Amino acid sequence: GESVGLHLPTLSVQEGDNSIINCAYSNSASDYFIWYKQESGKGPQFIIDIRSNMDKRQGQRVTVLLNKTVKHLSLQIAATQPGDSAVYFCAETRTGTASKLTFGTGTRLQVTL
Amino acid sequence: GAVVSQHPSRVICKSGTSVKIECRSLDFQATTMFWYRQFPKQSLMLMATSNEGSKATYEQGVEKDKFLINHASLTLSTLTVTSAHPEDSSFYICSARPPRGGVLGQPQHFGDGTRLSIL
């Protein structure tokens, strides 16, 4: 189902440190997961994805971990930079649903100098 | 590649007017486009799935007569908010799904949203 939050949780991280953003997804039948970054006044921007047959995937400075047992997804950002400040959403979908995405609540990442 | 353009980016209008928002896929054809609504500090909520050449599929609780969707070509979908009222003020975002089997990878490519303010 849809995920609507009353407020956005905030993660404050010092520049250069690693960030870990967590997401609990709702549908055990979901088999494809995506992390998006949304800057103020803009649409979501793709960061990294992972399929359910994997438990880890790495990109440039980012790593996604998937734990299907507890329906948990995390995004790790290495050496966080001020430009990483944004709201991060996880999204889930299931094969056969015409790529229909269900978004998580979102987490605001604030990078302090 | 895979650019989705949304227009206008911001609109302010009086209560009772109708507002049309356009969503275009600039460098790929999209048989399916999606419309989302986002309130401040909240997540994206899917409003409807727009299919080229057929009627849109609306999510539960979304009034189809209020939010008219037209997907007349493979590169353009429009959302018209009819008789808009202040409670319709929100950030509306569209996305387009690239062709199946294409090399674009992602399931949806997003526009930059339209900030709608109804006075």
Side-chain angles (χ1 to χ4, degrees):
Chain A
E2 293 178 345
S3 175
V4 177
L6 296 178
H7 66 278
L8 283 173
T10 299
L11 174 67
S12 188
V13 173
Q14 201 161 17
E15 182 181 6
D17 288 351
N18 297 333
S19 303
I20 299 177
I21 300 171
N22 297 302
C23 174
Y25 63 93
S26 56
N27 189 348
S28 57
S30 294
D31 57 8
Y32 180 51
F33 306 88
I34 308 167
W35 278 101
Y36 288 98
K37 173 185 180 183
Q38 187 181 27
E39 296 175 286
S40 181
K42 294 194 172 182
Q45 175 188 352
F46 175 91
I47 300 174
I48 192 168
D49 59 359
I50 189 168
R51 297 204 173 273
S52 59
N53 60 353
M54 303 173 69
D55 52 23
K56 180 179 180 179
R57 190 161 189 230
Q58 288 184 294
Q60 188 177 11
R61 279 203 310 121
V62 294
T63 300
V64 55
L65 299 178
L66 173 63
N67 185 329
K68 295 182 289 294
T69 303
V70 295
K71 292 190 288 186
H72 183 267
L73 203 62
S74 70
L75 176 70
Q76 300 177 3
I77 304 174
T80 311
Q81 302 169 359
D84 296 327
S85 294
V87 177
Y88 290 81
F89 293 98
C90 67
E92 60 182 295
T93 188
R94 178 171 57 87
T95 303
T97 61
S99 304
K100 191 170 160 180
L101 294 173
T102 300
F103 281 80
T105 307
T107 298
R108 179 176 301 282
L109 177 64
Q110 289 181 338
V111 181
T112 58
L113 301 177
Chain B
V3 177
V4 175
S5 174
Q6 200 170 329
H7 178 80
S9 58
R10 186 177 183 104
V11 58
I12 302 172
C13 60
K14 293 181 179 179
S15 183
T17 58
S18 293
V19 179
K20 180 185 282 189
I21 303 169
E22 292 186 349
C23 180
R24 294 181 185 274
S25 56
L26 297 186
D27 49 5
F28 66 98
Q29 294 184 329
T31 55
T32 303
M33 292 184 174
F34 302 88
W35 287 97
Y36 296 85
R37 184 173 183 176
Q38 186 177 32
F39 291 108
K41 299 184 180 180
Q42 293 191 21
S43 188
L44 282 75
M45 291 176 55
L46 180 64
M47 299 174 65
T49 302
S50 168
N51 298 298
E52 187 266 337
S54 64
K55 291 184 179 180
T57 303
Y58 290 81
E59 295 299 300
Q60 191 173 7
V62 178
E63 300 175 58
K64 59 183 67 177
D65 295 331
K66 175 74 170 176
F67 300 100
L68 300 179
I69 291 172
N70 183 279
H71 193 156
S73 79
L74 287 171
T75 58
L76 174 65
S77 176
T78 60
L79 169 68
T80 301
V81 183
T82 62
S83 187
H85 290 96
E87 58 267 28
D88 299 321
S89 299
S90 189
F91 193 51
Y92 292 87
I93 304 171
C94 74
S95 69
R97 190 181 73 173
R100 188 181 296 276
V103 298
L104 298 176
Q106 304 164 33
Q108 296 181 26
H109 298 270
F110 288 84
D112 268 342
T114 296
R115 175 76 58 195
L116 175 62
S117 300
I118 309 298
L119 304 178

